[in-house]
mmCIF file with all atom_site columns, all heavy atoms in Angstrom:
data_model
loop_
_atom_site.group_PDB
_atom_site.id
_atom_site.type_symbol
_atom_site.label_atom_id
_atom_site.label_alt_id
_atom_site.label_comp_id
_atom_site.label_asym_id
_atom_site.label_entity_id
_atom_site.label_seq_id
_atom_site.pdbx_PDB_ins_code
_atom_site.Cartn_x
_atom_site.Cartn_y
_atom_site.Cartn_z
_atom_site.occupancy
_atom_site.B_iso_or_equiv
_atom_site.pdbx_formal_charge
_atom_site.auth_seq_id
_atom_site.auth_comp_id
_atom_site.auth_asym_id
_atom_site.auth_atom_id
_atom_site.pdbx_PDB_model_num
ATOM 1   N N   . ALA W 1 1  ? 9.677  3.027  7.644  1.00 0.00 ? 1  ALA W N   1
ATOM 2   C CA  . ALA W 1 1  ? 9.784  1.996  8.684  1.00 0.00 ? 1  ALA W CA  1
ATOM 3   C C   . ALA W 1 1  ? 11.220 1.475  8.834  1.00 0.00 ? 1  ALA W C   1
ATOM 4   O O   . ALA W 1 1  ? 11.450 0.278  8.983  1.00 0.00 ? 1  ALA W O   1
ATOM 5   C CB  . ALA W 1 1  ? 8.827  0.838  8.371  1.00 0.00 ? 1  ALA W CB  1
ATOM 6   N N   . GLY W 1 2  ? 12.170 2.392  8.772  1.00 0.00 ? 2  GLY W N   1
ATOM 7   C CA  . GLY W 1 2  ? 13.567 2.021  8.955  1.00 0.00 ? 2  GLY W CA  1
ATOM 8   C C   . GLY W 1 2  ? 14.299 1.560  7.710  1.00 0.00 ? 2  GLY W C   1
ATOM 9   O O   . GLY W 1 2  ? 15.511 1.340  7.742  1.00 0.00 ? 2  GLY W O   1
ATOM 10  N N   . ASP W 1 3  ? 13.589 1.414  6.596  1.00 0.00 ? 3  ASP W N   1
ATOM 11  C CA  . ASP W 1 3  ? 14.220 0.980  5.345  1.00 0.00 ? 3  ASP W CA  1
ATOM 12  C C   . ASP W 1 3  ? 14.373 2.188  4.427  1.00 0.00 ? 3  ASP W C   1
ATOM 13  O O   . ASP W 1 3  ? 13.436 2.560  3.706  1.00 0.00 ? 3  ASP W O   1
ATOM 14  C CB  . ASP W 1 3  ? 13.366 -0.097 4.667  1.00 0.00 ? 3  ASP W CB  1
ATOM 15  C CG  . ASP W 1 3  ? 13.975 -0.576 3.343  1.00 0.00 ? 3  ASP W CG  1
ATOM 16  O OD1 . ASP W 1 3  ? 15.088 -0.113 2.990  1.00 0.00 ? 3  ASP W OD1 1
ATOM 17  O OD2 . ASP W 1 3  ? 13.333 -1.397 2.658  1.00 0.00 ? 3  ASP W OD2 1
ATOM 18  N N   . TYR W 1 4  ? 15.563 2.792  4.442  1.00 0.00 ? 4  TYR W N   1
ATOM 19  C CA  . TYR W 1 4  ? 15.769 4.028  3.690  1.00 0.00 ? 4  TYR W CA  1
ATOM 20  C C   . TYR W 1 4  ? 16.319 3.784  2.287  1.00 0.00 ? 4  TYR W C   1
ATOM 21  O O   . TYR W 1 4  ? 16.764 4.722  1.623  1.00 0.00 ? 4  TYR W O   1
ATOM 22  C CB  . TYR W 1 4  ? 16.666 4.969  4.508  1.00 0.00 ? 4  TYR W CB  1
ATOM 23  C CG  . TYR W 1 4  ? 16.053 5.233  5.856  1.00 0.00 ? 4  TYR W CG  1
ATOM 24  C CD1 . TYR W 1 4  ? 16.596 4.668  7.014  1.00 0.00 ? 4  TYR W CD1 1
ATOM 25  C CD2 . TYR W 1 4  ? 14.894 5.990  5.968  1.00 0.00 ? 4  TYR W CD2 1
ATOM 26  C CE1 . TYR W 1 4  ? 16.000 4.877  8.245  1.00 0.00 ? 4  TYR W CE1 1
ATOM 27  C CE2 . TYR W 1 4  ? 14.295 6.204  7.199  1.00 0.00 ? 4  TYR W CE2 1
ATOM 28  C CZ  . TYR W 1 4  ? 14.857 5.640  8.333  1.00 0.00 ? 4  TYR W CZ  1
ATOM 29  O OH  . TYR W 1 4  ? 14.254 5.838  9.548  1.00 0.00 ? 4  TYR W OH  1
ATOM 30  N N   . SER W 1 5  ? 16.249 2.517  1.853  1.00 0.00 ? 5  SER W N   1
ATOM 31  C CA  . SER W 1 5  ? 16.559 2.221  0.458  1.00 0.00 ? 5  SER W CA  1
ATOM 32  C C   . SER W 1 5  ? 15.337 2.431  -0.426 1.00 0.00 ? 5  SER W C   1
ATOM 33  O O   . SER W 1 5  ? 15.446 2.422  -1.657 1.00 0.00 ? 5  SER W O   1
ATOM 34  C CB  . SER W 1 5  ? 17.055 0.782  0.319  1.00 0.00 ? 5  SER W CB  1
ATOM 35  O OG  . SER W 1 5  ? 16.024 -0.144 0.643  1.00 0.00 ? 5  SER W OG  1
ATOM 36  N N   . LYS W 1 6  ? 14.182 2.635  0.188  1.00 0.00 ? 6  LYS W N   1
ATOM 37  C CA  . LYS W 1 6  ? 12.950 2.846  -0.582 1.00 0.00 ? 6  LYS W CA  1
ATOM 38  C C   . LYS W 1 6  ? 12.971 4.191  -1.299 1.00 0.00 ? 6  LYS W C   1
ATOM 39  O O   . LYS W 1 6  ? 13.498 5.179  -0.788 1.00 0.00 ? 6  LYS W O   1
ATOM 40  C CB  . LYS W 1 6  ? 11.736 2.816  0.349  1.00 0.00 ? 6  LYS W CB  1
ATOM 41  C CG  . LYS W 1 6  ? 11.412 1.492  0.988  1.00 0.00 ? 6  LYS W CG  1
ATOM 42  C CD  . LYS W 1 6  ? 10.169 1.654  1.846  1.00 0.00 ? 6  LYS W CD  1
ATOM 43  C CE  . LYS W 1 6  ? 9.763  0.358  2.530  1.00 0.00 ? 6  LYS W CE  1
ATOM 44  N NZ  . LYS W 1 6  ? 8.576  0.553  3.392  1.00 0.00 ? 6  LYS W NZ  1
ATOM 45  N N   . THR W 1 7  ? 12.353 4.216  -2.475 1.00 0.00 ? 7  THR W N   1
ATOM 46  C CA  . THR W 1 7  ? 12.135 5.477  -3.172 1.00 0.00 ? 7  THR W CA  1
ATOM 47  C C   . THR W 1 7  ? 11.071 6.269  -2.434 1.00 0.00 ? 7  THR W C   1
ATOM 48  O O   . THR W 1 7  ? 10.090 5.705  -1.930 1.00 0.00 ? 7  THR W O   1
ATOM 49  C CB  . THR W 1 7  ? 11.690 5.227  -4.621 1.00 0.00 ? 7  THR W CB  1
ATOM 50  O OG1 . THR W 1 7  ? 12.742 4.534  -5.306 1.00 0.00 ? 7  THR W OG1 1
ATOM 51  C CG2 . THR W 1 7  ? 11.383 6.523  -5.339 1.00 0.00 ? 7  THR W CG2 1
ATOM 52  N N   . ALA W 1 8  ? 11.249 7.571  -2.339 1.00 0.00 ? 8  ALA W N   1
ATOM 53  C CA  . ALA W 1 8  ? 10.294 8.426  -1.628 1.00 0.00 ? 8  ALA W CA  1
ATOM 54  C C   . ALA W 1 8  ? 8.891  8.292  -2.211 1.00 0.00 ? 8  ALA W C   1
ATOM 55  O O   . ALA W 1 8  ? 8.728  8.033  -3.411 1.00 0.00 ? 8  ALA W O   1
ATOM 56  C CB  . ALA W 1 8  ? 10.764 9.871  -1.705 1.00 0.00 ? 8  ALA W CB  1
ATOM 57  N N   . PRO W 1 9  ? 7.864  8.462  -1.390 1.00 0.00 ? 9  PRO W N   1
ATOM 58  C CA  . PRO W 1 9  ? 6.479  8.339  -1.865 1.00 0.00 ? 9  PRO W CA  1
ATOM 59  C C   . PRO W 1 9  ? 6.155  9.334  -2.971 1.00 0.00 ? 9  PRO W C   1
ATOM 60  O O   . PRO W 1 9  ? 6.802  10.379 -3.107 1.00 0.00 ? 9  PRO W O   1
ATOM 61  C CB  . PRO W 1 9  ? 5.658  8.635  -0.604 1.00 0.00 ? 9  PRO W CB  1
ATOM 62  C CG  . PRO W 1 9  ? 6.558  8.398  0.534  1.00 0.00 ? 9  PRO W CG  1
ATOM 63  C CD  . PRO W 1 9  ? 7.935  8.745  0.055  1.00 0.00 ? 9  PRO W CD  1
ATOM 64  N N   . LYS W 1 10 ? 5.117  9.018  -3.726 1.00 0.00 ? 10 LYS W N   1
ATOM 65  C CA  . LYS W 1 10 ? 4.710  9.862  -4.839 1.00 0.00 ? 10 LYS W CA  1
ATOM 66  C C   . LYS W 1 10 ? 3.963  11.110 -4.383 1.00 0.00 ? 10 LYS W C   1
ATOM 67  O O   . LYS W 1 10 ? 3.994  12.137 -5.073 1.00 0.00 ? 10 LYS W O   1
ATOM 68  C CB  . LYS W 1 10 ? 3.820  9.076  -5.812 1.00 0.00 ? 10 LYS W CB  1
ATOM 69  C CG  . LYS W 1 10 ? 4.548  7.967  -6.560 1.00 0.00 ? 10 LYS W CG  1
ATOM 70  C CD  . LYS W 1 10 ? 5.629  8.532  -7.470 1.00 0.00 ? 10 LYS W CD  1
ATOM 71  C CE  . LYS W 1 10 ? 6.280  7.443  -8.309 1.00 0.00 ? 10 LYS W CE  1
ATOM 72  N NZ  . LYS W 1 10 ? 7.386  7.994  -9.137 1.00 0.00 ? 10 LYS W NZ  1
ATOM 73  N N   . ARG W 1 11 ? 3.277  11.025 -3.265 1.00 0.00 ? 11 ARG W N   1
ATOM 74  C CA  . ARG W 1 11 ? 2.494  12.174 -2.789 1.00 0.00 ? 11 ARG W CA  1
ATOM 75  C C   . ARG W 1 11 ? 2.850  12.462 -1.337 1.00 0.00 ? 11 ARG W C   1
ATOM 76  O O   . ARG W 1 11 ? 2.754  11.583 -0.477 1.00 0.00 ? 11 ARG W O   1
ATOM 77  C CB  . ARG W 1 11 ? 0.997  11.924 -2.957 1.00 0.00 ? 11 ARG W CB  1
ATOM 78  C CG  . ARG W 1 11 ? 0.574  11.841 -4.430 1.00 0.00 ? 11 ARG W CG  1
ATOM 79  C CD  . ARG W 1 11 ? -0.929 11.680 -4.582 1.00 0.00 ? 11 ARG W CD  1
ATOM 80  N NE  . ARG W 1 11 ? -1.302 11.777 -5.978 1.00 0.00 ? 11 ARG W NE  1
ATOM 81  C CZ  . ARG W 1 11 ? -1.311 10.746 -6.823 1.00 0.00 ? 11 ARG W CZ  1
ATOM 82  N NH1 . ARG W 1 11 ? -0.962 9.538  -6.399 1.00 0.00 ? 11 ARG W NH1 1
ATOM 83  N NH2 . ARG W 1 11 ? -1.653 10.922 -8.087 1.00 0.00 ? 11 ARG W NH2 1
ATOM 84  N N   . LEU W 1 12 ? 3.249  13.703 -1.084 1.00 0.00 ? 12 LEU W N   1
ATOM 85  C CA  . LEU W 1 12 ? 3.673  14.140 0.240  1.00 0.00 ? 12 LEU W CA  1
ATOM 86  C C   . LEU W 1 12 ? 2.841  15.327 0.683  1.00 0.00 ? 12 LEU W C   1
ATOM 87  O O   . LEU W 1 12 ? 2.322  16.095 -0.147 1.00 0.00 ? 12 LEU W O   1
ATOM 88  C CB  . LEU W 1 12 ? 5.157  14.529 0.225  1.00 0.00 ? 12 LEU W CB  1
ATOM 89  C CG  . LEU W 1 12 ? 6.151  13.429 -0.130 1.00 0.00 ? 12 LEU W CG  1
ATOM 90  C CD1 . LEU W 1 12 ? 7.525  14.028 -0.403 1.00 0.00 ? 12 LEU W CD1 1
ATOM 91  C CD2 . LEU W 1 12 ? 6.228  12.397 0.999  1.00 0.00 ? 12 LEU W CD2 1
ATOM 92  N N   . LEU W 1 13 ? 2.750  15.500 1.984  1.00 0.00 ? 13 LEU W N   1
ATOM 93  C CA  . LEU W 1 13 ? 1.959  16.589 2.545  1.00 0.00 ? 13 LEU W CA  1
ATOM 94  C C   . LEU W 1 13 ? 2.665  17.146 3.769  1.00 0.00 ? 13 LEU W C   1
ATOM 95  O O   . LEU W 1 13 ? 3.059  16.407 4.672  1.00 0.00 ? 13 LEU W O   1
ATOM 96  C CB  . LEU W 1 13 ? 0.571  16.089 2.939  1.00 0.00 ? 13 LEU W CB  1
ATOM 97  C CG  . LEU W 1 13 ? -0.471 17.167 3.246  1.00 0.00 ? 13 LEU W CG  1
ATOM 98  C CD1 . LEU W 1 13 ? -0.921 17.841 1.957  1.00 0.00 ? 13 LEU W CD1 1
ATOM 99  C CD2 . LEU W 1 13 ? -1.667 16.564 3.968  1.00 0.00 ? 13 LEU W CD2 1
ATOM 100 N N   . ILE W 1 14 ? 2.857  18.457 3.787  1.00 0.00 ? 14 ILE W N   1
ATOM 101 C CA  . ILE W 1 14 ? 3.383  19.158 4.960  1.00 0.00 ? 14 ILE W CA  1
ATOM 102 C C   . ILE W 1 14 ? 2.224  19.895 5.605  1.00 0.00 ? 14 ILE W C   1
ATOM 103 O O   . ILE W 1 14 ? 1.527  20.682 4.948  1.00 0.00 ? 14 ILE W O   1
ATOM 104 C CB  . ILE W 1 14 ? 4.491  20.151 4.567  1.00 0.00 ? 14 ILE W CB  1
ATOM 105 C CG1 . ILE W 1 14 ? 5.664  19.417 3.900  1.00 0.00 ? 14 ILE W CG1 1
ATOM 106 C CG2 . ILE W 1 14 ? 4.973  20.929 5.788  1.00 0.00 ? 14 ILE W CG2 1
ATOM 107 C CD1 . ILE W 1 14 ? 6.682  20.351 3.263  1.00 0.00 ? 14 ILE W CD1 1
ATOM 108 N N   . VAL W 1 15 ? 1.996  19.650 6.883  1.00 0.00 ? 15 VAL W N   1
ATOM 109 C CA  . VAL W 1 15 ? 0.881  20.252 7.618  1.00 0.00 ? 15 VAL W CA  1
ATOM 110 C C   . VAL W 1 15 ? 1.402  21.460 8.387  1.00 0.00 ? 15 VAL W C   1
ATOM 111 O O   . VAL W 1 15 ? 2.223  21.326 9.292  1.00 0.00 ? 15 VAL W O   1
ATOM 112 C CB  . VAL W 1 15 ? 0.240  19.240 8.586  1.00 0.00 ? 15 VAL W CB  1
ATOM 113 C CG1 . VAL W 1 15 ? -0.939 19.874 9.319  1.00 0.00 ? 15 VAL W CG1 1
ATOM 114 C CG2 . VAL W 1 15 ? -0.204 17.991 7.829  1.00 0.00 ? 15 VAL W CG2 1
ATOM 115 N N   . VAL W 1 16 ? 0.948  22.647 8.012  1.00 0.00 ? 16 VAL W N   1
ATOM 116 C CA  . VAL W 1 16 ? 1.426  23.893 8.623  1.00 0.00 ? 16 VAL W CA  1
ATOM 117 C C   . VAL W 1 16 ? 0.358  24.421 9.569  1.00 0.00 ? 16 VAL W C   1
ATOM 118 O O   . VAL W 1 16 ? -0.792 24.642 9.163  1.00 0.00 ? 16 VAL W O   1
ATOM 119 C CB  . VAL W 1 16 ? 1.757  24.940 7.551  1.00 0.00 ? 16 VAL W CB  1
ATOM 120 C CG1 . VAL W 1 16 ? 2.328  26.209 8.196  1.00 0.00 ? 16 VAL W CG1 1
ATOM 121 C CG2 . VAL W 1 16 ? 2.746  24.369 6.532  1.00 0.00 ? 16 VAL W CG2 1
ATOM 122 N N   . GLU W 1 17 ? 0.755  24.632 10.830 1.00 0.00 ? 17 GLU W N   1
ATOM 123 C CA  . GLU W 1 17 ? -0.196 25.039 11.864 1.00 0.00 ? 17 GLU W CA  1
ATOM 124 C C   . GLU W 1 17 ? 0.332  26.224 12.651 1.00 0.00 ? 17 GLU W C   1
ATOM 125 O O   . GLU W 1 17 ? 1.540  26.356 12.863 1.00 0.00 ? 17 GLU W O   1
ATOM 126 C CB  . GLU W 1 17 ? -0.448 23.863 12.825 1.00 0.00 ? 17 GLU W CB  1
ATOM 127 C CG  . GLU W 1 17 ? -1.081 22.667 12.131 1.00 0.00 ? 17 GLU W CG  1
ATOM 128 C CD  . GLU W 1 17 ? -0.888 21.375 12.916 1.00 0.00 ? 17 GLU W CD  1
ATOM 129 O OE1 . GLU W 1 17 ? 0.282  21.049 13.212 1.00 0.00 ? 17 GLU W OE1 1
ATOM 130 O OE2 . GLU W 1 17 ? -1.892 20.719 13.217 1.00 0.00 ? 17 GLU W OE2 1
ATOM 131 N N   . LYS W 1 18 ? -0.582 27.066 13.094 1.00 0.00 ? 18 LYS W N   1
ATOM 132 C CA  . LYS W 1 18 ? -0.239 28.249 13.877 1.00 0.00 ? 18 LYS W CA  1
ATOM 133 C C   . LYS W 1 18 ? -0.287 27.909 15.357 1.00 0.00 ? 18 LYS W C   1
ATOM 134 O O   . LYS W 1 18 ? -1.303 27.437 15.868 1.00 0.00 ? 18 LYS W O   1
ATOM 135 C CB  . LYS W 1 18 ? -1.227 29.370 13.570 1.00 0.00 ? 18 LYS W CB  1
ATOM 136 C CG  . LYS W 1 18 ? -1.053 30.629 14.400 1.00 0.00 ? 18 LYS W CG  1
ATOM 137 C CD  . LYS W 1 18 ? -2.137 31.645 14.064 1.00 0.00 ? 18 LYS W CD  1
ATOM 138 C CE  . LYS W 1 18 ? -2.034 32.887 14.931 1.00 0.00 ? 18 LYS W CE  1
ATOM 139 N NZ  . LYS W 1 18 ? -3.095 33.872 14.602 1.00 0.00 ? 18 LYS W NZ  1
ATOM 140 N N   . PRO W 1 19 ? 0.804  28.142 16.092 1.00 0.00 ? 19 PRO W N   1
ATOM 141 C CA  . PRO W 1 19 ? 0.793  27.867 17.528 1.00 0.00 ? 19 PRO W CA  1
ATOM 142 C C   . PRO W 1 19 ? 0.195  29.034 18.304 1.00 0.00 ? 19 PRO W C   1
ATOM 143 O O   . PRO W 1 19 ? 0.512  30.202 18.063 1.00 0.00 ? 19 PRO W O   1
ATOM 144 C CB  . PRO W 1 19 ? 2.281  27.707 17.850 1.00 0.00 ? 19 PRO W CB  1
ATOM 145 C CG  . PRO W 1 19 ? 2.972  28.587 16.863 1.00 0.00 ? 19 PRO W CG  1
ATOM 146 C CD  . PRO W 1 19 ? 2.123  28.590 15.613 1.00 0.00 ? 19 PRO W CD  1
ATOM 147 N N   . THR W 1 20 ? -0.686 28.736 19.235 1.00 0.00 ? 20 THR W N   1
ATOM 148 C CA  . THR W 1 20 ? -1.270 29.765 20.087 1.00 0.00 ? 20 THR W CA  1
ATOM 149 C C   . THR W 1 20 ? -1.243 29.311 21.539 1.00 0.00 ? 20 THR W C   1
ATOM 150 O O   . THR W 1 20 ? -1.313 28.112 21.832 1.00 0.00 ? 20 THR W O   1
ATOM 151 C CB  . THR W 1 20 ? -2.723 30.099 19.697 1.00 0.00 ? 20 THR W CB  1
ATOM 152 O OG1 . THR W 1 20 ? -3.551 28.945 19.903 1.00 0.00 ? 20 THR W OG1 1
ATOM 153 C CG2 . THR W 1 20 ? -2.826 30.530 18.248 1.00 0.00 ? 20 THR W CG2 1
ATOM 154 N N   . VAL W 1 21 ? -1.137 30.266 22.426 1.00 0.00 ? 21 VAL W N   1
ATOM 155 C CA  . VAL W 1 21 ? -1.205 30.030 23.866 1.00 0.00 ? 21 VAL W CA  1
ATOM 156 C C   . VAL W 1 21 ? -2.298 30.947 24.404 1.00 0.00 ? 21 VAL W C   1
ATOM 157 O O   . VAL W 1 21 ? -2.211 32.172 24.275 1.00 0.00 ? 21 VAL W O   1
ATOM 158 C CB  . VAL W 1 21 ? 0.145  30.328 24.546 1.00 0.00 ? 21 VAL W CB  1
ATOM 159 C CG1 . VAL W 1 21 ? 0.014  30.206 26.061 1.00 0.00 ? 21 VAL W CG1 1
ATOM 160 C CG2 . VAL W 1 21 ? 1.219  29.385 24.027 1.00 0.00 ? 21 VAL W CG2 1
ATOM 161 N N   . ASN W 1 22 ? -3.334 30.346 24.964 1.00 0.00 ? 22 ASN W N   1
ATOM 162 C CA  . ASN W 1 22 ? -4.490 31.110 25.445 1.00 0.00 ? 22 ASN W CA  1
ATOM 163 C C   . ASN W 1 22 ? -5.049 32.019 24.356 1.00 0.00 ? 22 ASN W C   1
ATOM 164 O O   . ASN W 1 22 ? -5.428 33.175 24.604 1.00 0.00 ? 22 ASN W O   1
ATOM 165 C CB  . ASN W 1 22 ? -4.118 31.931 26.682 1.00 0.00 ? 22 ASN W CB  1
ATOM 166 C CG  . ASN W 1 22 ? -3.725 31.056 27.857 1.00 0.00 ? 22 ASN W CG  1
ATOM 167 O OD1 . ASN W 1 22 ? -4.297 29.984 28.066 1.00 0.00 ? 22 ASN W OD1 1
ATOM 168 N ND2 . ASN W 1 22 ? -2.740 31.498 28.629 1.00 0.00 ? 22 ASN W ND2 1
ATOM 169 N N   . GLY W 1 23 ? -5.063 31.501 23.140 1.00 0.00 ? 23 GLY W N   1
ATOM 170 C CA  . GLY W 1 23 ? -5.664 32.210 22.025 1.00 0.00 ? 23 GLY W CA  1
ATOM 171 C C   . GLY W 1 23 ? -4.798 33.271 21.383 1.00 0.00 ? 23 GLY W C   1
ATOM 172 O O   . GLY W 1 23 ? -5.261 34.000 20.502 1.00 0.00 ? 23 GLY W O   1
ATOM 173 N N   . SER W 1 24 ? -3.536 33.372 21.783 1.00 0.00 ? 24 SER W N   1
ATOM 174 C CA  . SER W 1 24 ? -2.676 34.421 21.256 1.00 0.00 ? 24 SER W CA  1
ATOM 175 C C   . SER W 1 24 ? -1.343 33.832 20.791 1.00 0.00 ? 24 SER W C   1
ATOM 176 O O   . SER W 1 24 ? -0.909 32.789 21.273 1.00 0.00 ? 24 SER W O   1
ATOM 177 C CB  . SER W 1 24 ? -2.423 35.484 22.327 1.00 0.00 ? 24 SER W CB  1
ATOM 178 O OG  . SER W 1 24 ? -1.682 36.569 21.810 1.00 0.00 ? 24 SER W OG  1
ATOM 179 N N   . SER W 1 25 ? -0.685 34.530 19.866 1.00 0.00 ? 25 SER W N   1
ATOM 180 C CA  . SER W 1 25 ? 0.639  34.137 19.386 1.00 0.00 ? 25 SER W CA  1
ATOM 181 C C   . SER W 1 25 ? 1.631  35.244 19.703 1.00 0.00 ? 25 SER W C   1
ATOM 182 O O   . SER W 1 25 ? 1.261  36.421 19.759 1.00 0.00 ? 25 SER W O   1
ATOM 183 C CB  . SER W 1 25 ? 0.617  33.880 17.874 1.00 0.00 ? 25 SER W CB  1
ATOM 184 O OG  . SER W 1 25 ? -0.218 32.775 17.570 1.00 0.00 ? 25 SER W OG  1
#
């Protein structure tokens, strides 16, 4: 929330998704 003096969170998650257009990549 704009305060970058905070220590990073203990648990992080990267959400990886496949992009498709009309069902195809």
